[in-house]
Amino acid sequence: MPRICPCFFGNPVSDSVDELSNSSDRDPVLLVSGMGGSILNSRPKKKSIFSFETRVWVRIFLADFEFKNKVWSVYNPTTGYTEELDEDSEIVVPDDDHGLYAIDILDPSVFVKLMHLKEVYHFHDMINMLVDYGYKKGTTLFGYGYDFRQSNRIDKLINGLKAKLETAYKASGGRQVNLISHSMGGILIKCFMALYPDLFAKYVNKWICIACPFQGAPGCVNDALLTGLQFIDGFESYFFVGRWTMHQLVVECPSVYEMLPNPTFEWKTIPKIYVWRKSSPHDEYDSSPVELETYGPLESIDVFEEALRDNELNYNGKKVSLPFNSAVLKWASGTRQLLDQAKLPEGVRFYNIYGTSLDTPFDVCYGSETDPIADLSEICHTLPEYSFVDGDETVPAESARADGFDAVERVGVADNHRALLCNETVFELIRKWLNVKSLNHTKCSRTSKVTDVVVA
């Protein structure tokens, strides 16, 4: 049915499949989004003829206002779910267009489409590419968007992925599914694989993973918990949710804690948090009252707890305390154990694409020798200095490569985290691995050396 108001709802992506193409020779493809990669709608819990859904992520206009009213949440340790502060509404993910609508253009309003704001064109180009190559929505092409606030191993997300795999399997006449995941979507799939290895082996043929933080995203996630998260830089950032607004959500999101740097992984260099701290002079002649404190992945918990001890937000005139959540950390530690135990079922072929050639945050430093931090709570209101490693500007290549599987191929592609979803080299790899006949393309992005050749 046509959408009534694109400002609230947007328009579903249209089928552009060539009528002459035949999708009967295609194995089904399921696209799985990552952190922030799904449309979120808010709807009243009590339905009436006047109730309707409002898009709260992503939206260009009134983004901060709607986010604070409808998306701000707190973690419920009894259920394991992050729940909205607005008790009269609930967050839902639209399943229109066989799940593709929610992961296509994250703000599908008329304004965004007219301005062609590529920052919110998520799986759009990949969906169009697959359709152009003969995949048909609802028969051989599906999408899975989900509430990315929640843990990657929570029942609702896992059961939703299971249902989507079963739908794709049955719709294609019993063909095994080829998964293509982006970013945190790879963590979700790995959790599902660890929990349901037999079902995974039944439904999945190939898994193509793009830019997954298998061992965490140290710089970005450490700083997200301390000062916030900003998805868009530059002038366009004024149209999106603010850094601090997003910070007050991620403090209560298990999914974010699940992407903290893995403390048991053998990093080339252990990721750290540095703090230039004012120290109490030992005596009146002490001329160096500033010291650089260093915290590894485990010690960083002390920084989080101290820096966030007084963190709170004002929701409808009510103060809500949001310190570092030890209950969320405990849950996330359980997720990390599950991930470390996951094994690729026999017969499933795995392919890994990771971003390279871009400065990617790794270590985070707060304060400076000339402007030190007096109290750790000040960190939340400062901007960090990063040290960088190779990666896609979000996930270090070292983390994204370390999947722990017997991969058919691992390929590094020089592009940033989101842009990998519309990179022509990535498309060429996907077509090759899906055994789809390629067209001639003249534009090609740089590719790093393949670290693993075909082994199966």
Side-chain angles (χ1 to χ4, degrees), residues 4-132:
I4 298 173
C5 180
C7 181
F8 287 103
F9 300 102
N11 297 310
V13 286
S14 58
D15 287 319
S16 58
V17 65
D18 187 343
E19 293 181 359
L20 296 177
S21 68
N22 186 351
S23 64
S24 62
D25 63 341
R26 300 278 187 262
D27 290 330
V29 167
L30 174 59
L31 307 175
V32 181
S33 65
M35 177 72 185
S38 305
I39 289 175
L40 299 183
N41 288 343
S42 175
R43 70 183 182 192
K45 289 181 178 178
K46 293 183 179 179
K47 296 182 177 61
S48 71
I49 59 173
F50 301 106
S51 63
F52 55 88
E53 293 184 14
T54 303
R55 191 176 67 257
V56 290
W57 177 270
V58 169
R59 57 183 301 127
I60 301 301
F61 298 113
L62 298 176
D64 227 52
F65 175 80
E66 292 289 357
F67 196 90
K68 290 177 179 179
N69 282 338
K70 302 296 184 182
V71 187
W72 268 353
S73 311
V74 292
Y75 178 74
N76 185 336
T78 302
T79 64
Y81 285 89
T82 293
E83 301 171 353
E84 302 79 51
L85 287 173
D86 182 6
E87 298 178 354
D88 296 325
S89 67
E90 60 184 352
I91 297 297
V92 294
V93 180
D95 196 38
D96 309 51
D97 210 15
H98 312 287
L100 295 165
Y101 168 73
I103 64 173
D104 185 341
I105 303 175
L106 299 184
D107 181 349
S109 62
V110 172
F111 173 80
V112 168
K113 291 180 179 179
L114 287 174
M115 298 300 293
H116 201 67
L117 296 179
K118 292 294 289 183
E119 289 81 5
V120 296
Y121 276 54
H122 205 54
F123 271 100
H124 181 76
D125 291 348
M126 190 180 295
I127 291 170
N128 286 345
M129 181 273 290
L130 291 169
V131 168
D132 289 342

Side-chain angles (χ1 to χ4, degrees), residues 68-324:
K68 290 177 179 179
N69 282 338
K70 302 296 184 182
V71 187
W72 268 353
S73 311
V74 292
Y75 178 74
N76 185 336
T78 302
T79 64
Y81 285 89
T82 293
E83 301 171 353
E84 302 79 51
L85 287 173
D86 182 6
E87 298 178 354
D88 296 325
S89 67
E90 60 184 352
I91 297 297
V92 294
V93 180
D95 196 38
D96 309 51
D97 210 15
H98 312 287
L100 295 165
Y101 168 73
I103 64 173
D104 185 341
I105 303 175
L106 299 184
D107 181 349
S109 62
V110 172
F111 173 80
V112 168
K113 291 180 179 179
L114 287 174
M115 298 300 293
H116 201 67
L117 296 179
K118 292 294 289 183
E119 289 81 5
V120 296
Y121 276 54
H122 205 54
F123 271 100
H124 181 76
D125 291 348
M126 190 180 295
I127 291 170
N128 286 345
M129 181 273 290
L130 291 169
V131 168
D132 289 342
Y133 277 80
Y135 288 86
K136 186 175 181 181
K137 299 172 186 176
T139 303
T140 53
L141 183 58
F142 301 84
Y144 183 55
Y146 52 92
D147 184 352
F148 50 80
R149 300 173 304 159
Q150 310 298 344
S151 165
N152 287 286
R153 64 180 173 100
I154 202 73
D155 289 348
K156 187 174 182 179
L157 270 62
I158 292 295
N159 290 336
L161 179 58
K162 180 166 60 175
K164 189 66 70 170
L165 279 169
E166 184 177 2
T167 296
Y169 179 80
K170 291 181 177 178
S172 61
R175 286 176 175 260
Q176 285 185 303
V177 180
N178 294 322
L179 288 167
I180 301 178
S181 64
H182 179 247
S183 189
M184 194 180 74
I187 302 296
L188 173 62
I189 289 174
K190 195 173 183 181
C191 285
F192 177 81
M193 186 173 67
L195 291 168
Y196 297 103
D198 293 339
L199 279 178
F200 196 88
K202 175 184 176 180
Y203 289 133
V204 178
N205 177 29
K206 299 174 182 178
W207 174 17
I208 300 173
C209 188
I210 303 172
C212 178
F214 283 108
Q215 306 303 330
C220 289
V221 173
N222 280 339
D223 189 45
L225 286 169
L226 289 169
T227 74
L229 189 62
Q230 189 164 307
F231 283 84
I232 303 295
D233 293 320
F235 174 75
E236 291 88 349
S237 65
Y238 291 100
F239 295 102
F240 291 83
V241 171
R243 184 186 186 94
W244 187 250
T245 302
M246 196 67 187
H247 173 266
Q248 300 296 59
L249 176 73
V250 302
V251 170
E252 295 289 302
C253 287
S255 58
V256 174
Y257 287 60
E258 289 166 352
M259 291 188 291
L260 283 165
N262 184 358
T264 64
F265 178 62
E266 295 184 4
W267 299 92
K268 291 179 181 178
T269 303
I270 295 175
K272 297 181 178 67
I273 295 176
Y274 294 97
V275 182
W276 283 101
R277 190 92 177 267
K278 287 182 179 178
S279 60
S280 300
H282 298 292
D283 56 56
E284 59 181 318
Y285 302 106
D286 192 339
S287 59
S288 57
V290 176
E291 59 184 354
L292 182 62
E293 298 178 346
T294 305
Y295 304 87
L298 293 177
E299 297 84 4
S300 295
I301 304 305
D302 295 334
V303 180
F304 297 138
E305 290 176 341
E306 185 65 20
L308 295 168
R309 69 180 187 275
D310 298 322
N311 183 49
E312 63 181 16
L313 57 80
N314 188 321
Y315 185 77
N316 291 337
K318 178 183 177 181
K319 296 289 186 180
V320 180
S321 179
L322 292 179
F324 182 73

